[in-house]
Structure formats: C-alpha cells, structure tokens
C-alpha cells in the first residue's frame, strides 16, 4: 500500500484531472468507436482497418495476418524483440533487447546475493476463458520507436510505454475472424474506467502467426507513475468494460473479478520506481486531455467517414482513375531470405502547416501474407493505406507480385485533393 505522502500526491493528480461526470459504458463504447476509426497509419491488407485507440494518430501498423491450426509451445513464441522486428520497428526492438538483458543481469545478481535460495521470476503467463496469454516484454522511454505516436500531426508524443503479449487458444484452435481483445496498462489509484489505453492516447498493432496472436500495444509513458503498481490487462472485449476488474477506492488497487467466465488476465509490470515523477505525470495527463478534446473528435469522425467512402469505392478497375501515382516512390525488389519485402519512400514536400503532412514512410511484410487477401479477386495485387487525419493526406500503397517473384511498389494519392499534388 502506498504511504501517506504518496497518497496525497495521488489525490492532487486525480482530482485535477477527474472528469466532472463519470462516463458510462455506452459513452466509453462511443468514444472508442470514434478513435478506432482514426487513420492511425495502421494498415491491413485490402481494407481500412484501425487496430488502435488514439485521437488523430499516425502510428504505423504492419498487419501480417497468417493462420494455422498449430499453436506454438511456450518456448517457441516470439520474444518482444522479435515482435517489434516483425513490424519493422528497429528502435523498439533494440529497446526490448536492452530491457531483456538488464532483467537477466538483475536476475543473476539476485541469485548471487542469495545463494541457496530459489529466486522466482514474476509470472508472465495466465490462462482464463479458454485463452493463454503470455507477457513478452515491456519497454518505456523517449524516442524508442521508429513510428512515434502522432507523427505528422500537431499532437506528436514520443515518450511512450510499449508492451508485447501473445494470445493463444488453450485448445490449440486458430483465432476466429471476429475475436476481439483489449490490451491496456492500468494504474493503481486511477479508476480504470477513466484511465486506460483510450484516454492515455494508446495505439496497437497485431499479427497472427501459427495460431498465435501477437499484440504490440503502446500508450503514454506510465513510468512516471512507477511509485504505484502498474498493471497490464488483457481482455476478450473490444474496450474496457466494468465487470472484469475490481477497483478498490481505498488503496487504489486493481484486481480480477474471479467469477468472470471470459478472458480478464491482469499482470503487474516491473517498472523502475526511481523513474516516478508526479509532476511529469500530471503534465502528461493534461497533455492527453488537450489532445483529445471532444470538438476535435467530432471533426475527425467526419474526416474518417470521407476516407472510408473513398476506399470502399476503390477497385482495381478504377484505381488509376481515382488515384495518382507518386512516381518517385516506385520500387521493385526480390524478397529476402525470410520471404519479406520492405519499402521505404519519400513523399513530395508539402505545406508543413498541414496536420497530416508527412515526409516519408515505410511498409512491407511477408510476401505470402501481403498477397493472401484477394480482395479484388486478383492474387497479384494488394494494397495498404495510411492517413494523417483526412482524405487529402491519404496514402495508398499498391503492391504487385511479378512473375519472377519480385514485388513492385508505389504510393498512390487521391486525385485532385491530395496535399502531395499541390
């Protein structure tokens, strides 16, 4: 339990940022639906799919969706570092690697200081509701990702916490298309209904391989709250719901509701308490509140609908009629030894005052997965998309599988309205 001084600071932070009215579950659902529709540079193949929770974000998602009836054994799961590399986030992979090395060193030191005693590592595997969840790793810090939250917008946030988890069905069956999950840090002393990944400017990417669903979630840096217990919840819902966890208002602790018959895993994260900074925590929450004002959310919903209509009407037949190719982005390459391609490209210079303006990008994946979805009835073409917030900043990346096994790539933008054509 926290000491009196710490609790007083909690009360100051909590009351300073506590909403006037407690949001109901329906309001939470509506807010999540809105921010999930944001074009967060989170792409899936052949459709405009958002997998994160963020207001006006531009985080990159590389959806590498594969399926198989075989479930990895625990020792065959990807590490957090490998998950980051799988979505081409090299900076984050290094951060996970450094964290893993540090934990190994600390474990060895603890064993040397306590000879003959068994040192038990924190449990990182939990099973509930027919699912098995493995916490793969956590990393926090400034500028530890190649794809900072809000890149290309006025609300960029590079100081983040990242967590990687693996989700499997206990019976070994593959994930269903309509399976929903919610992964989020929670903070002792802060009601999780009001403070979770939605309000902490969270975003997520995920991919499935060999029956294992890998989630990479990120949100505002929770290390500033490291003098509290920091949790990570994993649920089989599409947003935070009451009835899955208990919140004790007396000491601020959060715990599982044991009689819930679905997935409500709850991990305690090991964070460095010396990183706690109450003043920075207050500033962070205030920044998040300003970045997600309701009027901005309303404006963004309209922009999202315009983008969705444009993409719904897009076909292979009218592609060049509705879009213009940015010639400087054209590339062709052979897959590497692992069967992957990755394209980096630069975009034309634009008016930097536009909130959706971006100067560069990158995308790719395993070739087998890139062309797995035949959304146009054509096994040789696939596309992904991203946007900084409106139709004028939309980028549509077209992949073409050639007869020699190489992949050609180019970025297309909406004809007449794109900021990259001005």
């Amino acid at each position: 339990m926290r000491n009196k001084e710490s609790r007083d600071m909690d009360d100051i932070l909590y009351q300073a940022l506590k909403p006037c009215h407690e949001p109901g579950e329906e309001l939470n659902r509506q807010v999540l639906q809105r921010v999930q529709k944001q074009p967060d540079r989170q792409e899936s193949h052949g459709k405009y799919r958002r997998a994160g929770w963020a207001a006006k974000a531009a985080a990159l998602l590389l959806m590498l969706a594969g399926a198989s009836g075989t479930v990895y054994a625990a020792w065959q799961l990807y590490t957090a570092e490998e998950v980051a590399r799988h979505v081409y986030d090299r900076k984050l992979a290094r951060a996970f690697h450094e964290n893993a090395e540090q934990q190994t060193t600390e474990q060895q030191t603890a064993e040397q200081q306590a000879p003959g005693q068994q040192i038990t590592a924190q449990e990182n595997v939990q099973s509930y509701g027919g699912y098995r969840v493995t916490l793969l790793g956590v990393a926090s810090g400034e500028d530890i990702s190649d794809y900072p939250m809000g890149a290309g917008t006025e609300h960029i946030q590079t100081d983040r916490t990242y967590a990687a988890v693996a989700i499997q069905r206990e019976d070994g069956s593959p994930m269903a298309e309509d399976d929903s999950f919610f992964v989020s840090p929670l903070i002792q002393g802060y009601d999780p209904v009001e403070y979770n990944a939605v309000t902490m400017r969270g975003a997520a990417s995920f991919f499935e391989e060999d029956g294992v669903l890998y989630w990479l979630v990120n949100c505002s840096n929770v290390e500033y709250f490291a003098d509290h217990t920091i949790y990570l919840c994993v649920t089989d819902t599409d947003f935070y719901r009451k009835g899955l966890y208990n919140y004790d208002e007396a000491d601020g602790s959060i715990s599982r509701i044991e009689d819930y018959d679905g997935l409500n895993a709850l991990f305690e994260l090991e964070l460095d308490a010396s990183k706690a900074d109450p003043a920075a925590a207050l500033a962070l929450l205030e920044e998040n509140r300003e970045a997600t004002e309701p009027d901005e959310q309303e404006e963004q919903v309209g922009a999202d609908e315009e983008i969705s209509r444009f993409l719904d009407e897009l076909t292979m037949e009218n592609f060049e009629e509705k879009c213009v190719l940015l010639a400087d982005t054209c590339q062709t390459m052979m897959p590497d030894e692992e069967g992957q391609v990755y394209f980096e490209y630069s975009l034309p210079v634009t008016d930097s005052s536009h909130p959706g303006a971006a100067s560069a990008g990158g995308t790719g994946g395993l070739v087998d997965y890139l062309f797995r979805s035949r959304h146009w009835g054509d096994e040789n073409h696939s596309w992904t998309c991203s946007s900084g917030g409106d139709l004028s900043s939309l980028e549509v990346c077209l992949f073409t599988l050639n007869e020699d096994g190489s992949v050609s790539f180019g970025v297309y933008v909406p004809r007449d309205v794109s900021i990259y054509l001005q």
Side-chain angles (χ1 to χ4, degrees), residues 345-356:
Y345 54 90
S346 298
L347 299 172
V349 177
T350 66
D351 178 1
S352 60
S353 66
H354 190 285

Side-chain angles (χ1 to χ4, degrees), residues 60-64 72 76-94 96-97 134-138 146-147 162-167 204-209 212-218 340:
L60 177 66
L61 167 66
L62 299 174
M63 283 291 294
L64 306 176
Y72 275 179
Q76 293 176 303
L77 293 175
Y78 284 153
T79 63
E81 177 186 353
E82 290 169 334
V83 170
R85 291 193 183 283
H86 208 68
V87 296
Y88 291 97
D89 197 332
R90 297 173 178 83
K91 278 188 179 179
L92 184 57
R94 286 196 297 271
F96 278 132
H97 178 76
T134 304
L135 174 60
L136 302 174
V138 180
D146 288 316
Y147 310 108
Y162 295 80
V165 300
I167 307 173
S205 59
F206 56 86
F207 62 91
E208 183 180 352
E209 187 161 308
V212 182
L213 187 65
Y214 293 93
W215 268 72
L216 185 59
V217 63
N218 66 88
Q340 302 191 53

Side-chain angles (χ1 to χ4, degrees), residues 25 45-46 55 122 176-177 190 260 320 333 337 342 371 400:
E25 212 170 279
H45 303 308
Q122 179 171 311
E177 188 68 29
Y190 293 80
Y260 178 66
E320 294 191 353
M333 70 169 54
E337 60 184 13
Y342 184 68
F371 297 98
T400 301

Side-chain angles (χ1 to χ4, degrees), residues 28 53 68 127 154 159 165 173 196 209 258 267 275 332 346 363 378-379 386 406:
N28 260 347
W53 322 281
S68 165
S127 297
E154 70 272 31
D159 198 2
V165 300
S173 60
N196 55 57
E209 187 161 308
E258 298 292 341
F267 300 90
K275 299 290 183 66
T332 296
S346 298
T363 186
D378 183 349
E379 62 184 8
S386 62
S406 64

Side-chain angles (χ1 to χ4, degrees), residues 380 401-406:
N380 295 323
L401 181 60
N402 303 311
E403 291 185 1
D404 63 356
S406 64

